[in-house]
Amino acid sequence: MDKEKKDYFRQRLEKMLDDVLSEADKTLTEMIGQNDRYPDPTDRASAESDRSFELRIRDRERRLLTKIKSAIGRIDNDDFGVCDNCGNDISIERLEVRPVATLCIDCKTKQENHEKTHAG
């Protein structure tokens, strides 16, 4: 992959990183500022459900942060865009959709098919 493409993906990944961290800060600020006193049990249940949902989203984003940092590291190590499984290039189209991808589309398809047949 040429330097221009690597720089492009680094910028995208750094923007993703900033966006995720910004959302996490926003969630933390909102949770600290929330009033935990609800006169109605239904209001309390609704607030707790919303908070639980928000925390699940943040947990998914926490895992995404790890993937983003790893992808930036792969750019630094000059192995970004190379499939971890077969060593072939990951298509630019796939990286456009999922810049944190570590498998080419063929290896990812095989992995998903294997998971489907061995799930249970």
Side-chain angles (χ1 to χ4, degrees), residues 70-113:
S70 177
I72 292 170
R74 287 193 307 278
I75 290 172
D76 293 340
N77 294 332
D78 207 32
D79 58 0
F80 178 79
V82 177
C83 179
D84 283 352
N85 195 31
C86 70
N88 291 330
D89 288 343
I90 300 172
S91 71
I92 296 297
E93 293 82 8
R94 175 155 169 69
L95 292 171
E96 284 286 348
V97 173
R98 185 147 178 88
V100 297
T102 58
L103 299 175
C104 68
I105 195 68
D106 290 338
C107 289
K108 184 62 178 175
T109 301
K110 288 176 189 173
Q111 179 192 51
E112 288 175 353
N113 287 338

Side-chain angles (χ1 to χ4, degrees), residues 10-66:
R10 176 185 296 281
Q11 289 175 1
R12 282 204 51 206
L13 289 161
E14 287 174 351
K15 170 116 176 57
M16 287 173 66
L17 186 68
D18 289 344
D19 291 347
V20 171
L21 291 173
S22 174
E23 284 298 314
D25 286 343
K26 187 174 103 176
T27 298
L28 183 60
T29 301
E30 288 173 1
M31 286 187 164
I32 289 172
Q34 281 182 343
N35 179 3
D36 288 341
R37 294 187 195 186
Y38 299 99
D40 182 17
T42 305
D43 291 340
R44 176 184 301 277
S46 178
E48 288 176 5
S49 175
D50 291 347
R51 182 176 294 156
S52 176
F53 179 71
E54 188 76 26
L55 290 173
R56 282 195 311 270
I57 290 171
R58 296 301 156 241
D59 186 53
R60 291 185 77 199
E61 288 178 344
R62 178 188 54 79
R63 291 189 301 263
L64 178 59
L65 280 175
T66 302

